[in-house]
Amino acid sequence: MKLVEAEALRIEKASKTLWVAEFSVAEKLRGLPFEFAMIWVKGVDEIPLSIAWLDKQIVGFIFKIRGEGTRALSSIKRGDRVLMKIPLGKGFAPPSGTKILLVAGGVGIAPAPLLAKYCREVGCTLTIVWGVKSSDELCSPSSIWLDGVDLEVATEDGSQGFRGTALDLAMRIARDGVFDYVVAVGPRAMLRAFCREFPRDKCEKLVALETMVKCGMGMCGSCIVKPLPKLLCIDGPVFSCSEVMRHLELSNS
Amino acid sequence: MSSPILRVDVASLILTHPIMNASGILGSEPEHIDVMASWGLAAIVSKTITPEPREGNAPPIIMPLRNGGFINAVGLANRGKKSVKELCNRAKKLGIPLIISIGGSSSKDFVDVAEEAERCGANAVELNLSCPHTPGYGIEIGFDPSTVFRVVKDVVGVLTIPVIVKLGLSDRVVESAGKALEAGAKALTLINTIRAMAIDVHSARPLLSNIFGGLSGPPIHPIAVRVVYEVYKEYQPDIIGCGGITTWEDAAEIILAGAKAVQIGSALALGRARFVVQGVLRGLVRWLKELGLRSVAEAVGLAHRR
Ligand SMILES: Cc1cc2nc3c(=O)[nH]c(=O)nc-3n(C[C@H](O)[C@H](O)[C@H](O)COP(=O)(O)OP(=O)(O)OC[C@H]3O[C@@H](n4cnc5c(N)ncnc54)[C@H](O)[C@@H]3O)c2cc1C
Ligand SMILES: Cc1cc2nc3c(=O)[nH]c(=O)nc-3n(C[C@H](O)[C@H](O)[C@H](O)COP(=O)(O)O)c2cc1C
Ligand code: FES
């Protein structure tokens, strides 16, 4: 983990619901898929965001405006600076030669570009299923570093691609294909449904969770994945369905 | 020569070795106790518990600093007195001694949580008279030796389990230590974080939402060693040394100054806890052998030899 000063290159609305924030940093960074950063929007709030892409001295994030912190991030200008703790978490680094299916709901697409890059580098096969309510929530693959990636789209209203949820489409794809890892990331209800319903023969089922991250460094304890003795900021955010099923059932948001 | 004895008796507790965590590294939820039990500590110290729940401050609450230290203003976030029972039950189940750290703004607050801790089977309590950044909670009490005396006396009066008193840096820390002992404290934990501030130079804003915070980690170690040395010199009480301990040398140094046991806080961050605890213990064993000592106890306060 490093504390780095980052300068905004590009902050823009990429779809009806999603924003992109890209920064340049003074030193070369490294990070694994699903690792995240704590971004201090100076004087406002410090918030955890997944690293969406990372290329030498450029780091990007995809986010949705939820409250004060994300709103402040969306309103910073090119040249403005933020301070970030990066990388945090344990990440997810599948071995080379494996086949991976990523099931992303909404802003759950955020960790996809870094996973795609990692898979190109180590030689994993990646299929991404991205589900949203309607096509106006999608953004062009090139604007979020997803060019040339096997990306299947599902919209609940059928306005683009498959009509249905990301999970519906992923189940269909998994019927015809074999995957070593299937990773779901998105709203809690989707993760719960995924862990309950997705067939688990021949694959390891994983989810990327969100809990309240206040320090990101394993000190404050706010990110504990109850009732597990695990800290999201140290051991996560990716966990196997079998270990977090009770956690997902306990929390009903 | 057989392996040196790591077991220590401090504050009437028998510990398998001298290392515990410092209060505030996890320790507010029963699941935290599970995590900490896997670190190899001889005892666990809870997060400071206040009678009522406290939300704590808004992030940023903990920031790493250029000098290798940390600044924090967590704001004593905890679930209040009602969480004591769950913490105690979990520690009992795991078979690890638990010290409940207590915070409050009056004698009554401390007594209230201390009685609950004893009822729930805590092995000891540690009175946090030294939180440097939460107004009304701690340092105002610890700074004034006569207030220290009153609070400690009130708590000791109603408990049978040992009372440990945690003090922070102040001009009158030696005097406060004396008052705590006079009032019946079985041991002193020295020291807490030191009130500090960090400013982001690019935005000209304080780094923490709370503006002020407590400085911890390697930068405060020599100060902790000095305070332990001075208090030991005066009273030779049981001391738990705390402040910047990261390696076995840091632990050895504070033991030589007069500490019987040590608490590690900041160095347990970032998932390094198990590694750090093991490293310190291994190093202490090698060091005791090198000095020809048979136990940690024989090293306590050795630096005072003339
Ligand atoms: C590991 C991790 C990775 C994440 N990655 C992304 C991402 O790539 N893109 C994205 O849009 N969002 C991501 N999030 C969620 C993001 O952190 C929250 O949307 C953000 O903190 C909300 O802050 P706010 O001030 O805008 O809203 P607030 O009004 O403060 O909160 C809105 C809601 O966001 C959640 N939240 C608030 N603070 C935190 C916090 N400190 N930690 C976790 N959740 C919080 C709570 O559910 C809260 O009810 C991630 C969360 C985690 C834990
Ligand atoms: C994040 C954090 C939270 C803390 N919370 C508490 C607390 O609740 N009660 C307390 O007595 N001390 C608290 N402290 C102080 C530590 O217990 C310890 O005295 C101090 O950090 C010095 O030790 P270290 O340098 O090993 O971290 C906290 C320290 C940190 C870094
Ligand atoms: S966020 Fe503080 S321990 Fe994980």
Side-chain angles (χ1 to χ4, degrees):
Chain A
M1 188 271 302
K2 284 179 180 167
L3 187 66
V4 297
E5 190 69 25
E7 191 182 314
L9 294 174
R10 171 163 85 98
I11 308 284
E12 63 190 27
K13 200 166 175 184
S15 79
K16 189 180 150 201
T17 46
L18 299 184
W19 286 74
V20 164
E22 194 168 81
F23 297 90
S24 75
V25 291
E27 50 191 313
K28 236 172 114 171
L29 296 176
R30 20 155 246 102
L32 289 170
F34 290 92
E35 286 183 339
F36 62 100
M38 278 299 272
I39 302 177
W40 181 45
V41 185
K42 295 178 179 183
V44 184
D45 196 0
E46 193 188 23
I47 54 172
L49 292 181
S50 310
I51 304 171
W53 55 86
L54 192 59
D55 187 40
K56 295 186 188 89
Q57 279 153 252
I58 291 184
V59 55
F61 303 91
I62 302 172
F63 66 100
K64 193 173 156 172
I65 297 181
R66 280 210 220 165
E68 199 190 9
T70 43
R71 175 156 303 112
L73 183 60
S74 75
S75 62
I76 67 173
K77 301 280 171 286
R78 189 187 163 89
D80 285 353
R81 288 151 171 268
V82 298
L83 193 61
M84 54 177 92
K85 297 171 184 154
I86 185 171
L88 300 172
K90 195 165 66 139
F92 168 63
S96 79
T98 49
K99 286 190 73 177
I100 298 141
L101 177 62
L102 180 73
V103 189
V107 70
I109 198 68
L114 188 60
L115 179 61
K117 178 172 182 243
Y118 171 90
C119 286
R120 273 195 301 278
E121 283 167 6
V122 307
C124 302
T125 316
L126 175 67
T127 301
I128 298 173
V129 171
W130 185 14
V132 292
K133 287 202 178 65
S134 185
S135 60
D136 56 5
E137 294 177 26
L138 298 165
C139 36
S140 78
S142 62
S143 70
I144 54 169
W145 297 47
L146 277 177
D147 278 323
V149 174
D150 179 7
L151 177 66
E152 310 283 339
V153 167
T155 52
E156 285 174 30
D157 66 0
S159 50
Q160 189 175 327
F162 175 85
R163 177 194 286 269
T165 66
L167 187 54
D168 296 335
L169 178 55
M171 301 240 252
R172 179 170 297 212
I173 290 172
R175 263 209 309 268
D176 313 322
V178 179
F179 294 93
D180 299 290
Y181 300 97
V182 182
V183 192
V185 49
R188 211 166 257 273
M190 172 189 139
L191 303 186
R192 199 165 19 206
F194 168 76
C195 285
R196 279 198 193 127
E197 295 161 25
F198 199 87
R200 68 182 165 85
D201 44 323
K202 294 177 289 181
C203 77
E204 195 173 329
K205 286 162 60 179
L206 305 161
V207 288
L209 293 181
E210 279 183 22
T211 56
M212 192 55 74
V213 173
K214 281 192 164 184
C215 76
M217 297 184 292
M219 299 168 101
C220 76
S222 74
C223 66
I224 192 87
V225 185
K226 284 182 164 228
L228 282 189
K230 295 209 171 179
L231 297 169
L232 181 128
C233 74
I234 301 295
D235 308 308
V238 178
F239 297 93
S240 72
C241 275
S242 53
E243 63 181 340
V244 297
M245 200 59 228
R246 272 195 61 214
H247 169 78
L248 289 171
E249 270 160 5
L250 284 176
S251 45
N252 40 17
S253 53
Chain B
M1 192 175 125
S2 62
S3 201
I5 297 164
L6 288 175
R7 201 197 69 213
V8 293
D9 302 355
V10 65
S12 315
L13 301 174
I14 297 169
L15 304 179
T16 53
H17 64 69
I19 305 177
M20 44 190 128
N21 68 287
S23 175
I25 303 303
L26 311 187
S28 59
E29 299 282 350
E31 288 83 358
H32 295 164
I33 306 293
D34 292 305
V35 174
M36 298 161 90
S38 73
W39 292 347
L41 302 164
I44 290 174
V45 185
S46 79
K47 171 76 189 168
T48 292
I49 310 290
T50 51
E52 297 302 321
R54 289 178 53 91
E55 188 59 37
N57 295 319
I61 54 168
I62 313 177
M63 281 290 190
L65 300 172
R66 290 188 299 281
N67 63 12
F70 291 90
I71 188 161
N72 94 80
V74 174
L76 296 182
N78 76 95
R79 289 198 293 115
K81 192 175 93 174
K82 65 177 188 299
S83 62
V84 170
K85 190 171 186 86
E86 293 170 62
L87 299 174
C88 289
N89 286 347
R90 192 63 59 101
K92 254 182 268 171
K93 206 169 119 195
L94 294 161
I96 187 160
L98 178 68
I99 298 167
I100 295 287
S101 167
I102 304 175
S105 50
S106 66
S107 223
K108 189 170 148 285
D109 286 356
F110 285 94
V111 167
D112 190 18
V113 184
E115 285 183 317
E116 176 72 1
E118 174 151 321
R119 242 191 322 272
C120 297
N123 298 78
V125 296
E126 182 181 88
L127 309 184
N128 175 3
L129 302 187
S130 44
C131 181
H133 56 263
T134 307
Y137 284 81
I139 204 87
E140 295 88 343
I141 303 172
F143 272 6
D144 175 21
S146 60
T147 318
V148 169
F149 181 82
R150 216 188 50 242
V151 172
V152 178
K153 184 103 191 155
D154 287 350
V155 175
V156 168
V158 297
L159 290 200
T160 56
I161 56 173
V163 175
I164 301 164
V165 173
K166 182 169 177 180
L167 296 172
L169 180 67
S170 80
D171 292 344
R172 297 167 77 185
V173 61
V174 177
E175 209 184 319
S176 286
K179 286 291 174 194
L181 295 166
E182 196 187 321
K186 280 277 194 306
L188 303 170
T189 298
L190 304 168
I191 57 174
N192 208 310
T193 52
I194 296 171
R195 189 169 163 86
M197 179 173 184
I199 299 170
D200 175 63
V201 297
H202 300 287
S203 63
R205 288 174 193 281
L207 220 50
L208 298 174
S209 66
N210 189 57
I211 304 176
F212 303 114
L215 177 66
S216 67
I220 72 169
H221 184 257
I223 300 172
V225 171
R226 187 271 289 178
V227 171
V228 169
Y229 187 94
E230 284 197 304
V231 170
Y232 186 86
K233 181 159 180 257
E234 202 60 34
Y235 314 105
Q236 295 92 50
D238 277 12
I239 296 174
I240 303 167
C242 178
I245 296 168
T246 309
T247 66
W248 69 264
E249 287 100 326
D250 303 329
E253 217 181 325
I254 211 157
I255 290 168
L256 290 172
K260 265 192 166 180
V262 302
Q263 291 181 353
I264 307 181
S266 305
L268 303 179
L270 292 160
R272 298 196 195 112
R274 202 177 319 202
F275 175 79
V276 166
V277 173
Q278 270 175 17
V280 171
L281 283 177
R282 264 197 228 116
L284 284 180
V285 168
R286 253 184 283 118
W287 167 71
L288 289 168
K289 280 188 182 157
E290 173 200 315
L291 263 57
L293 300 173
R294 280 165 307 186
S295 66
V296 172
E298 285 188 4
V300 175
L302 263 192
H304 293 264
R305 230 180 3 188
R306 285 280 166 264

